[in-house]
Amino acid sequence: CRAAPAGATPGQGHSPQECALLHKMSRMSKRLGGQEGITLARMLIKAALIKAHDTVRWRQLQDLCAPDGLEDHACDWGVLCLRITELGGECAALGGAQARLVLQRDASNGMGILSKMEEGEEPSLRAGCLYGTCSMLNHACSPNVARFDDFDSADEGNMKVMIRALSDMDAGTELRMNYLSILVGVEERQKRLLDEYGFKCECDRCHLESLFPDDESEDEEQDGKGKASSGAKQPQPTPTEEEEDRRNALALWIAKYSCPAEDCGGTMAPVEGAEEKHEAGSVKRRKLSDSTDDAEDVLGGGGGEVKR
């Protein structure tokens, strides 16, 4: 490996301090809980160096929420935090308690870096990153912004992200993004938000979609012989005419802002020249539809856990 160039800020890049700690870590890699543990250990080393040498970035990291109950069972966080402190130096100064908080903040605030889109294949998660500002954005099942990135660019600064508005909004409006995909159904969405981010979403969209169970989900409740499952189904309230209208507006809104590319799941947002761009970064030349403008008012934002 190579140390950072002369004059590099400690804690950024591959500094001599980080190199020494990574070398020590490599000798205990078999006790870190597999590849997942090694990946998290590298992140904790980086966090320890930030705490020791970069007050501003450490403050930004501490400002992120750290909900309980998000431990990745692929490795034991308790053992991992203990092993990290055994590396000494900045890692010992970080301490086990702070190390666990770093892991919790990463689990609930990290932004995924997806693989390149390949024809016929769904993009897979290959890494994650934390941002001092963008990671503070709260969730909304019906978001008003979407994240854009160009991680595969060879240009300098390819780790930057852009937050683009889906439509006009008043000054002072809170910016909210969807942590998953606007195409994810209510049952899966609520389960993943609870499991992956530590909060139960009870927004207007979740309530509205729960009034209209999908035919597909009803079919899945039957076993291979075509008999209904034994689980008791809760009676559903009859939707009102207003709720029917809101459901139709939601369908139009989803059609307007979801990327038409197969297996993408990205969110579209308007750019100059009446083009639309989606979260994976490629430009789609599809004109914005005026027929769905009223959906913005009908849907509202829909909220999630407050991060600050």
Side-chain angles (χ1 to χ4, degrees):
C1 63
R2 294 183 302 169
T9 303
Q12 295 181 340
H14 198 150
S15 66
Q17 298 98 319
E18 183 177 0
C19 184
L21 291 169
L22 288 172
H23 182 68
K24 289 183 179 180
M25 185 201 75
S26 67
R27 291 182 290 184
M28 63 166 64
S29 58
K30 293 183 179 180
R31 296 184 290 159
L32 294 175
Q35 186 58 49
E36 178 67 15
I38 293 173
T39 300
L40 293 177
R42 292 174 63 93
M43 182 192 66
L44 289 176
I45 289 174
K46 181 74 72 175
L49 293 170
I50 290 174
K51 180 177 184 293
H53 303 290
D54 194 331
T55 304
V56 174
R57 294 174 71 199
W58 179 247
R59 183 72 260 172
Q60 289 177 322
L61 182 58
Q62 288 186 307
D63 284 341
L64 298 175
C65 68
D68 293 324
L70 299 180
E71 181 163 344
D72 189 340
H73 296 289
C75 66
D76 189 321
W77 279 9
V79 172
L80 179 61
C81 293
L82 176 63
R83 295 286 178 257
I84 284 297
T85 60
E86 292 175 355
L87 295 177
E90 289 91 346
C91 288
L94 177 66
Q98 283 289 350
R100 177 175 285 274
L101 287 174
V102 170
L103 294 175
Q104 290 174 210
R105 291 181 175 111
D106 172 66
S108 59
N109 299 282
M111 291 189 171
I113 300 178
L114 300 179
S115 60
K116 285 186 176 181
M117 285 286 295
E118 300 290 346
E119 186 175 352
E121 296 183 5
E122 293 187 11
S124 58
L125 183 67
R126 57 181 173 179
C129 47
L130 288 170
Y131 291 89
T133 301
C134 293
S135 291
M136 297 294 288
L137 290 177
N138 288 319
H139 168 80
C141 295
S142 300
N144 55 15
V145 299
R147 188 197 86 192
F148 292 80
D149 57 62
D150 197 11
F151 293 131
D152 290 303
S153 169
D155 297 337
E156 185 178 352
N158 59 4
M159 291 301 294
K160 293 181 179 179
V161 296
M162 177 187 295
I163 301 298
R164 188 180 293 276
L166 272 60
S167 60
D168 292 341
M169 64 185 81
D170 295 332
T173 301
E174 181 183 359
L175 306 183
R176 288 176 176 264
M177 64 184 293
N178 193 307
Y179 291 172
L180 307 175
S181 165
I182 61 174
L183 297 175
V184 177
V186 60
E187 289 188 13
E188 179 185 351
R189 190 170 68 242
Q190 289 187 323
K191 183 180 186 304
R192 288 182 59 186
L193 289 173
L194 184 60
D195 292 346
E196 298 174 23
Y197 296 97
F199 67 88
K200 180 180 180 181
C201 187
E202 297 178 328
C203 70
D204 290 342
R205 177 180 172 181
C206 286
H207 173 72
L208 179 64
E209 289 183 329
S210 67
L211 299 176
F212 300 91
D214 296 333
D215 293 336
E216 292 182 5
S217 63
E218 292 179 352
D219 293 339
E220 289 173 358
E221 291 178 2
Q222 297 190 357
D223 59 25
K225 298 180 180 179
K227 296 180 181 180
S229 62
S230 58
K233 294 179 62 178
Q234 296 293 327
Q236 293 288 336
T238 302
T240 65
E241 184 176 345
E242 178 186 358
E243 289 167 339
E244 291 275 4
D245 291 341
R246 293 177 62 219
R247 176 202 188 190
N248 294 333
L250 173 61
L252 288 171
W253 183 88
I254 293 174
K256 177 178 180 179
Y257 289 112
S258 58
C259 177
E262 187 177 358
D263 297 326
C264 175
T267 302
M268 308 286 282
V271 295
E272 286 188 42
E275 294 176 337
E276 287 185 349
K277 193 172 181 181
H278 74 322
E279 289 176 310
S282 62
V283 174
K284 302 291 180 181
R285 296 187 177 276
R286 189 180 69 176
K287 217 168 188 180
L288 291 175
S289 171
D290 295 332
S291 63
T292 54
D293 289 345
D294 58 342
E296 315 295 339
D297 298 326
V298 177
L299 290 172
E305 184 77 355
V306 175
K307 288 194 173 181
R308 180 170 54 185

